[in-house]
């Protein structure tokens, strides 16, 4: 056991050292020669101090991201290899009579352990954002958001685990397919509820206050043939100086949301481009396409997880102190596999997202007929968010849900 723990710990340290070297010593975010002097060149819209701050801030945030995911894997491995998961299960079986309560209690303990282990990195990320004046959130508000996170994720997690153990007990070979079938209505239900139940727990949402701007947006929406009654603003200035807008929800709860920082810091023509971009998502039904893609990918994921989970439970059960796939102590193994596969699938989901974002950019430019507003918007996004215009390759594929700022400006300049 000590050898396995030492090997896993060494692997994690070497992994962290690689990414430290990659970001702080060799990460290539330099501007290509062909871009220098153009509107996509960050030196044309950011002063040297801002450029250095963007580079340093991005390096720290990206480094924290890449060492965060394997930390969960290492934690799940420790719970298994040390037999701690087995001991927690045995203690709960002695303390709690009913199987359902045993599972819920086990999930609660695992959730607390994972939350406690991830908090230090999240706290560092929060303090870094404060230091670079990206975050404006108070410590009390930050803690409140994390408490809300826990009490939203824990019940959902507990329900999923209860269903999993019921299915794998009743349908050992086909549990993964039945689980996926249940995922479809469950995911649709969450997408429907999120804008009206979950999101308001974190921030206040309300219709646009600026009636003159609202009139311009209504005119743009009419041109795009979309209902503008679903456009909202949210008080994100209490938490950040960054800019953003997004489309969320499905059905009657579908809405376009603008951060108030975006409304306060950008000119009307830039806001109209952003609205055109979000309307592009709406018109091209990207939310539904993304949802369908997620469900399809999850079907493949469930199948792979089933094969790996059952094989590893059988081959390494004794070493990991688990009796088989139905053993409650094997839950960390299941979570480990889900986390690894989710991380491995990020390049695929991000590639699809980048394609949709590029299409929405084109739509926004065509709808507004204002290419310059698009370019200015992308420049402002980089300046206020301290974003690198040309991040390193691994950041692009694992974190790049949008094209880089450089690519977005270049694409805007190419639009007719």
């Amino acid at each position: 056991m000590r050898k396995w723990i030492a090997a896993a710990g060494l692997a994690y340290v070497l992994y962290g050292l690689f990414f430290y070297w990659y970001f702080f010593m060799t990460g290539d975010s330099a501007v290509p020669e062909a871009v220098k002097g153009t509107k996509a060149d960050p030196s044309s819209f950011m002063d040297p101090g801002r450029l250095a701050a963007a580079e340093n801030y991005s390096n720290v945030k990206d480094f924290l991201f890449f060492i965060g995911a394997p930390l969960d894997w290492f934690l799940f491995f420790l719970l298994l290899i040390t037999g701690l998961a087995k001991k927690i299960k045995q203690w709960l079986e002695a303390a709690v009579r009913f199987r359902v309560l045993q599972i819920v209690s086990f999930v609660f303990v695992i959730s607390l352990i994972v939350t406690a282990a991830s908090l230090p990195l999240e706290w560092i990320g929060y303090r870094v954002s404060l230091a670079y004046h990206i975050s404006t959130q108070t410590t009390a508000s930050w803690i409140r958001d994390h408490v809300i996170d826990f009490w939203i994720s824990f019940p959902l997690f507990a329900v999923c685990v209860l269903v999993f153990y019921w299915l794998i007990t009743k349908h050992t070979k086909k549990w993964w397919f039945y689980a996926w079938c249940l995922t479809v209505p469950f995911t649709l239900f969450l997408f429907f509820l999120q804008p009206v139940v979950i999101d308001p727990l974190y921030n206040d949402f309300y219709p646009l206050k600026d009636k003159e701007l609202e009139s311009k947006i209504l005119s743009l929406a009419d041109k795009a043939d979309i209902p503008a009654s679903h456009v909202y603003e949210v008080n994100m200035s209490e938490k950040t100086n960054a800019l953003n807008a997004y489309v969320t929800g499905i059905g009657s709860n579908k809405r376009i949301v603008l951060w108030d920082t975006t409304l306060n810091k950008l000119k009307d023509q830039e806001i109209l481009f952003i609205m055109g971009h979000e309307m592009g998502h709406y018109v091209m039904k990207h939310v539904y396409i993304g949802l369908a893609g997620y469900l399809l990918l999850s079907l493949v994921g469930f199948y792979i997880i089933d094969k790996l989970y059952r094989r590893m439970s059988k081959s390494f059960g004794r070493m990991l102190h688990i009796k088989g796939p139905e053993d409650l102590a094997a839950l960390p193994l299941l979570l480990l596999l889900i986390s690894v596969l989710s991380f491995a699938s990020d390049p695929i989901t991000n590639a699809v997202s980048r394609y949709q974002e590029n299409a929405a950019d084109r739509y926004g430019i065509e709808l507004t007929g204002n290419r310059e507003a698009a370019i200015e918007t992308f420049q402002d996004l980089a300046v206020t968010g301290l974003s690198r215009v040309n991040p390193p390759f691994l950041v692009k594929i694992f974190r790049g849900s949008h094209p880089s700022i450089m690519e977005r400006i270049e694409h805007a300049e190419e639009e007719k």
Side-chain angles (χ1 to χ4, degrees), residues 305-322:
I305 286 170
D306 171 62
K307 299 303 179 186
L308 293 175
Y309 181 62
R310 286 198 287 159
R311 180 169 295 182
M312 293 183 72
S313 297
K314 182 179 179 180
S315 302
F316 303 102
R318 185 175 180 180
M319 184 181 76
L320 300 178
H321 305 280
I322 56 179

Side-chain angles (χ1 to χ4, degrees), residues 35-47 51 379 409:
V35 176
K36 290 182 178 179
T38 68
K39 293 179 180 179
D41 184 350
S43 62
S44 68
F45 57 88
M46 297 174 74
D47 60 65
L51 279 172
Q379 292 174 341
I409 293 175

